[in-house]
Amino acid sequence: MIKIIQQKMREKNLSQGQLASSVGIKQQYISKILLGRVKKPSFEIVVKIAEVLDIDLNQFKKKGK
């Protein structure tokens, strides 16, 4: 999930702060997600991130499950 978010952020030229503002959360929380410190962000947050970055939620599924 982290690599997908980072790739989409690069494609859209979005900073962590811009993404956080669009999602409605603090930049520090986005940073923690991207650093792997938040292992399971809430589904609501994941959906909002996916919407902002135009990511299909199915891309976040782990392979083999």
Side-chain angles (χ1 to χ4, degrees):
M1 179 172 85
I2 294 169
K3 289 183 189 254
I4 295 168
I5 292 171
Q6 290 172 331
Q7 177 185 353
K8 286 291 190 171
M9 285 175 65
R10 280 191 300 273
E11 288 175 11
K12 294 185 173 285
N13 199 27
L14 282 178
S15 68
Q16 289 182 11
Q18 291 168 319
L19 177 58
S21 178
S22 297
V23 172
I25 59 176
K26 293 183 178 183
Q27 183 271 330
Q28 292 87 348
Y29 194 69
I30 291 289
S31 179
K32 287 180 182 179
I33 291 171
L34 296 177
L35 290 172
R37 292 185 182 151
V38 176
K39 299 295 181 191
K40 294 184 179 182
S42 73
F43 182 70
E44 180 180 320
I45 297 297
V46 171
V47 168
K48 287 180 181 181
I49 290 171
E51 287 174 352
V52 170
L53 296 176
D54 297 321
I55 299 171
D56 181 346
L57 287 174
N58 288 317
Q59 289 183 303
F60 288 152
K61 287 184 178 179
K62 290 185 179 180
K63 292 183 179 181
K65 286 192 172 184

